[in-house]
Amino acid sequence: MTVVSLTVNGKPVSRDVEDRTLLVYFLREDLNLTGTHIGCDTSQCGACVVHLDGRAVKACTLFAVQANGAHVTTIEGLAKDGALHPVQEAFRDNHGLQCGFCTPGMIMTAVDMIRRVPASELDRARIRHELEGNICRCTGYHNIVSSIEDAAKRINGTGKERAA
Amino acid sequence: MIPYAFTYRRAKSLDDAEAMLAASPDAKLLAGGQTLIPALKMRLANPSELIDIAALEALRFLAVRDRVVVVGAGARHHEVATSPEVRRAIPALAELAGSIGDPAVRQMGTLGGSLANNDPAADYPAAVLALDATIKTNRREIRAGDFFTGMFATALEEREIVTEVRFPVPERAGYAKFANPASRYAMAGVFVAKAGPAVRVAVTGAAPCVFRIPAMEAALAKNFSPDALEDIEVDPGEMNSDLHGSAEYRAHLVGVMARRAVETALR
């Protein structure tokens, strides 16, 4: 067991966990942050994507102890003061989801993508390429791509904060 | 999926990591963990300890010196893929790094981890072997040709830690892979490099370990064009056969990827 202390969605948390506890289980079961989903549990589907010190990572492929001292942001931490993050707004406005299971991971990946990729390069083909680590079993990719394209315009267009 | 129990420790320096390895014979090093952690979850490995070296800044650098690209073992794939220096010196190396896994995997996975693990379908071994790179460890330097010894096997000894890799800048290089659509691992990946009169062709993903194809190298040394490879048959005898593809299919893919790699190198 190791005492893990990290900042999750801006709040300091500290828990005694088994060293083999994956970050995704720590978030879901110790912190009750169930917005981060477990889809494939084999590093392929992206339903568990969270931000570790501002970078998108798969929480099923990372132990909680590795995040000791880090800042983690989950889907629950994107909205600020009751207002949805622009990427969340864009997913809602473009109907970027069907069953919704993959959506938290899609949104966390999208926020990271818009932070990382220059606006001039983020066309629909690039968005699709950047989504290769996120799987939607409803095959609802068309509106997900539209949502991210729209979100990038909102974020880059207004010069607002680029990442959560 | 839950791995076997282990004790996690974070190394403060390379010496610290070496001392921890010496104290615990069944320990394993953890860097990005993008191959090791899935293996642990499948309970394919049962280390007593994981010694985390991901945070060691001394392993995290990129430099181009005297026509050699020097990459720290701790460099993330994303860092290699987006480094303007690497992209200028060996664009194929940056392209390869940018094709590993997916964006989230690339922000965790490291060069040293990929090489030390030597997964049969990892991308980096192809670049290291084709570019005739040198692998530097905490003890010695190992030429690429001597480093990869078999499936998940390398020349690394107990307590030996990869610290950096030196890639000589070639005249031309190209990488092409056919990726598994789910895992993005190479089902066949071919890296072609031309340095002076010598051409090296290294194949990953298709067989238990990265390997070179001398017949293709000789043909390309005479005529560096995709046409030079038209009549070269790839022997399926040594290829992997699994639910993703038969040995014959992989042998065919190697030929196609080799021609595409040459096309890329000529761009």
Side-chain angles (χ1 to χ4, degrees):
Chain A
M1 302 286 275
T2 297
V3 178
V4 174
S5 302
L6 62 163
T7 307
V8 178
N9 298 333
K11 293 190 200 96
V13 296
S14 196
R15 294 281 192 287
D16 200 11
V17 299
E18 261 197 283
D19 291 3
R20 63 177 166 176
T21 307
L22 292 159
L23 181 64
V24 70
Y25 289 106
F26 176 77
L27 294 170
R28 290 178 57 85
E29 294 176 10
D30 290 273
L31 304 184
N32 292 323
L33 293 171
T34 54
T36 303
H37 291 169
I38 301 170
C40 68
D41 209 3
T42 53
S43 323
Q44 296 180 18
C45 80
C48 66
V49 169
V50 300
H51 296 173
L52 177 72
D53 290 329
R55 295 175 186 282
V57 298
K58 292 184 168 178
C60 79
T61 313
L62 183 76
F63 294 113
V65 284
Q66 289 174 273
N68 208 347
H71 285 258
V72 171
T73 305
T74 70
I75 188 72
E76 289 92 341
L78 282 189
K80 292 274 183 293
D81 305 321
L84 291 179
H85 187 281
V87 176
Q88 292 173 304
E89 284 282 6
F91 269 70
R92 186 171 68 177
D93 293 348
N94 291 276
H95 196 66
L97 61 150
Q98 290 184 33
C99 84
F101 190 86
C102 71
T103 313
M106 290 286 179
I107 289 177
M108 298 311 284
T109 295
V111 172
D112 179 70
M113 185 192 309
I114 295 167
R115 170 187 68 80
R116 232 173 351 92
V117 183
S120 59
E121 294 175 21
L122 202 59
D123 57 12
R124 292 183 72 87
R126 178 67 183 268
I127 292 169
R128 285 179 179 274
H129 187 65
E130 290 283 336
L131 281 177
E132 65 188 352
N134 291 76
I135 295 172
C136 168
R137 285 308 304 265
C138 306
T139 69
Y141 295 104
H142 186 82
N143 284 0
I144 292 170
V145 173
S146 299
S147 301
I148 297 173
E149 196 178 28
D150 184 18
K153 280 193 196 117
R154 294 180 196 211
I155 291 169
N156 293 324
T158 60
K160 270 189 189 163
E161 185 191 28
R162 286 194 166 210
Chain B
M1 288 185 283
I2 299 167
Y4 291 117
F6 57 80
T7 302
Y8 170 92
R9 302 175 74 186
R10 200 177 280 189
K12 293 185 182 67
S13 66
L14 207 55
D15 289 344
D16 194 24
E18 213 180 331
M20 286 181 185
L21 282 173
S24 181
D26 292 328
K28 265 196 173 295
L29 293 174
L30 171 67
Q34 300 302 287
T35 313
L36 178 60
I37 294 174
L40 294 174
K41 288 168 70 179
M42 300 289 283
R43 300 200 164 190
L44 297 173
N46 186 11
S48 57
E49 287 185 19
L50 287 186
I51 297 163
D52 191 349
I53 54 170
L56 298 184
E57 286 298 326
L59 298 179
R60 213 166 168 179
F61 59 89
L62 283 166
V64 180
R65 292 195 288 260
D66 305 327
R67 307 288 296 159
V68 177
V69 174
V70 188
V71 184
R76 285 11 178 210
H77 307 327
H78 175 72
E79 293 164 354
V80 176
T82 55
S83 153
E85 294 99 320
V86 176
R87 203 159 273 279
R88 262 196 304 276
I90 315 181
L93 183 62
E95 286 291 325
L96 175 145
S99 79
I100 298 171
D102 57 54
V105 168
R106 292 196 287 274
Q107 301 204 91
M108 288 296 293
T110 67
L111 170 61
S114 171
L115 298 184
N117 192 55
N118 192 20
D119 188 293
D123 295 280
Y124 265 130
V128 167
L129 189 58
L131 291 168
D132 197 12
T134 299
I135 293 120
K136 193 168 177 285
T137 74
N138 51 341
R139 287 184 205 158
R140 57 182 171 146
E141 295 185 357
I142 308 171
R143 289 284 292 272
D146 300 322
F147 185 82
F148 304 104
T149 55
M151 188 162 74
F152 293 109
T154 67
L156 292 172
E157 294 167 356
E158 294 295 317
R159 303 191 295 283
E160 193 167 14
I161 304 171
V162 177
T163 55
E164 69 179 45
V165 181
R166 296 187 191 140
F167 298 94
V169 176
E171 274 159 52
R172 295 184 174 281
Y175 181 62
K177 79 163 158 175
F178 191 90
N180 178 303
S183 71
R184 316 311 290 180
Y185 270 110
M187 287 177 60
V190 180
F191 200 105
V192 174
K194 182 179 188 324
V199 176
R200 289 167 71 105
V201 177
V203 180
T204 190
C209 183
V210 64
F211 65 98
R212 290 167 64 188
I213 303 184
M216 285 188 177
E217 295 177 351
L220 290 171
K222 279 192 210 123
N223 173 19
F224 194 79
S225 88
D227 299 341
L229 303 177
E230 282 303 331
D231 298 325
I232 295 175
E233 289 283 321
V234 179
D235 179 11
E238 303 288 309
M239 301 282 163
N240 294 334
S241 202
D242 57 28
L243 81 165
H244 304 300
S246 65
E248 290 73 19
Y249 181 61
R250 279 196 167 83
H252 177 71
L253 281 181
V254 169
V256 177
M257 291 305 124
R259 290 193 289 277
R260 285 188 192 169
V262 175
E263 277 169 28
T264 309
L266 287 168
R267 260 190 234 138

